[in-house]
Amino acid sequence: MSMARKLFGSQESRSYTKENYSNHIRSIEERYVQMLLTNTMSNTFYADQNELLKEASALHHEMAEQDPDFMAQAIAFARQTSMMRLQPLFGLAVLSGKRADLFAGIFAEVVRYPADLFDFLMILQGMGRGEGGRAVKREVSRFLSGVTEYWAVKYNGRGRGYNLGDAIATAHPKPESERQQALFRYLRGLDTELSLLPQVEALEQLKRAESEQEQIAWIERGKLPYETVTGAIRPSKAVWEALLRQMPAFALLRHLNTLQRAGVWEDTRNVDYVVERFTNREALGKSKILPFRFATAYRQVDHPQLKAALREAVELTFNNLPELGGRTAIFLDISGSMSGQYLEIGSIFALALYKKTEGNSLFWLFDTRVLDVKPSRKDSILTQAARIRARGGTDTGAPMRKLLADKEHVDQIIIITDEQQNAGSPFYGELKRYRDKVNRQAKAFIVDISPYQNALVPQGDPQTYYIYGWSDTVLSYIAQSVQGYESMTERIKNGQPKSAV
């Protein structure tokens, strides 16, 4: 018997929510994709970290037994398209022990940075796999052959349990040049000729610098990343100003509050620089920052110009998305289990959808009641999202009952929820009634942003699409599905090009 069966019991056609409401079981492929795209193994409203880890382990192993080819495709999809890390790395570790060929085929797509490598090796150790065997060592060695000085100063010794020196000791890669040999020696903590490694030399000199002017000189000379600098010294305001202009966009976004505390925004030139970066459409596209990340920064900063730039950044992120076409009903779950990041993500997503329809849509909030909030198409997404609060229980059938009672004709229904029904009537029964009485062709899109494995709709409904997790590709996926594309699981099976997802 598989590990999943031992943990979850017999696989019947229905499951139950935490409040004992009847629900549907997903196929193993759908459950696996959902886990990869939503389950960060953080605590959730109904499940703690240990429970999520146990479920994840079981499902990874069952997927490896039943369909390792699909498993490999799904892992690569989750890492490359949705920028998820921990679950794809966990899956990769499991796959390495089942199918070395499939593991080798996707290793470079999943392990992209040294931090990925460290977490992968830590997962292997936690699974009792030690160093993972020859197939793992071969791929780790290939990865290490591409290590640069920049990676050496940024990632070595970053407190993830492993560092690049440990990885070199594990895989024993052969240096291909005198410079690479010096780099490997440095990472192993051995005596090294630093003149061969100017960026490493800049870091070592920074640690010994006695003045602020010296520190800035070595930072600029070595183009040292902010993580390395903050790990080596305690930055002053002037040092933060030097780091400001070399920070990647996501790092800059995460450190707006730190820079504020350091007094960096006292100089309007610094503010203008950041505003320009976060209102540059092309730069935002390259950064691949998910829109809800701006909401976190928005809560943390006080500077009015920066808050305005963050509001504009979210609008720009969604501007180039495809049109949905037809009339749309958007239902956002605001029940208690959605509190925190679920509701923050869901609110931004739902409001972006509403704006994209240019008013040709309904926008309703629901818990056990339904609220027609009539959002403004002029106010910013972040401003309006900040006003939405979690409350009450969950009745996923409530908005469908109102839609039917009002005889509202819509072409697609989009519900954003964690699917934890605990009151009222189930969504699917109300959806069937709506299709019978108002619009037989209505498509339903269930955007599930939680790791729970129950489902609102049974398998086999060709007009209902499940979308798991959140990324800036979700709206594109909905728009393409409206035009007749396959389910998310089918796309992964068919090798849908990433640019089309």
Side-chain angles (χ1 to χ4, degrees), residues 232-303:
I233 63 171
R234 184 174 182 177
S236 64
K237 176 185 175 182
V239 169
W240 275 119
E241 287 178 322
L243 292 172
L244 174 66
R245 283 165 172 74
Q246 58 164 286
M247 276 188 175
F250 186 42
L252 180 55
L253 186 66
R254 288 175 52 225
H255 285 79
L256 290 178
N257 196 33
T258 301
L259 293 162
Q260 179 175 283
R261 290 197 303 270
V264 172
W265 309 136
E266 294 167 7
D267 188 330
T268 57
R269 291 172 298 181
N270 295 333
V271 175
D272 291 343
Y273 168 77
V274 174
V275 167
E276 193 282 327
R277 285 190 68 177
F278 287 141
T279 56
N280 183 313
R281 187 192 306 275
E282 184 179 352
L284 283 174
K286 290 178 180 177
S287 73
K288 298 187 182 300
I289 299 174
L290 300 180
F292 70 87
R293 300 290 188 189
F294 292 104
T296 303
Y298 185 78
R299 289 197 315 269
Q300 295 174 344
V301 298
D302 300 324
H303 198 287

Side-chain angles (χ1 to χ4, degrees), residues 49-226:
Q49 202 169 39
N50 289 334
E51 182 181 345
L52 292 173
L53 178 61
K54 183 180 179 182
E55 290 179 357
S57 178
L59 194 49
H60 281 306
H61 281 86
E62 185 166 3
M63 196 73 243
E65 292 171 8
Q66 291 200 19
D67 194 343
D69 291 280
F70 177 78
M71 181 182 187
Q73 290 174 298
I75 289 169
F77 176 90
R79 183 70 183 101
Q80 293 284 332
T81 304
S82 294
M83 304 300 172
M84 301 300 285
R85 284 189 67 254
L86 192 54
Q87 285 294 2
L89 290 170
F90 194 177
L92 186 69
V94 172
L95 189 63
S96 71
K98 300 288 186 179
R99 284 286 300 273
D101 56 331
L102 294 174
F103 160 77
I106 64 168
F107 184 89
E109 295 182 63
V110 181
V111 178
R112 301 169 63 188
Y113 306 105
D116 298 335
L117 180 65
F118 304 157
D119 286 344
F120 171 74
L121 293 173
M122 181 59 68
I123 290 167
L124 276 179
Q125 186 182 67
M127 292 169 61
R129 294 270 313 283
E131 296 177 350
R134 281 182 291 182
V136 169
K137 287 185 178 181
R138 186 163 52 245
E139 295 308 315
V140 171
S141 182
R142 284 194 187 122
F143 179 91
L144 293 171
S145 68
V147 169
T148 62
E149 275 192 77
Y150 178 81
W151 277 2
V153 298
K154 180 175 180 178
Y155 289 104
N156 202 42
R158 295 300 297 172
R160 288 180 176 269
Y162 274 85
N163 59 35
L164 286 169
D166 297 329
I168 289 167
T170 295
H172 304 291
K174 294 181 180 178
E176 297 175 359
S177 66
E178 186 181 6
R179 183 171 175 275
Q180 192 172 67
Q181 184 176 33
L183 185 60
F184 286 176
R185 287 183 62 82
Y186 171 76
L187 290 169
R188 292 292 312 280
L190 303 174
D191 290 338
T192 308
E193 179 52 62
L194 292 184
S195 62
L196 295 170
L197 306 171
Q199 198 167 28
V200 170
E201 184 178 32
L203 171 60
E204 296 305 316
Q205 292 291 350
L206 172 67
K207 293 175 182 177
R208 293 191 285 270
E210 296 181 355
S211 70
E212 189 178 75
Q213 188 176 8
E214 267 189 282
Q215 290 174 342
I216 293 172
W218 284 114
I219 290 168
E220 292 177 345
R221 179 172 170 178
K223 295 184 174 58
L224 297 178
Y226 78 93

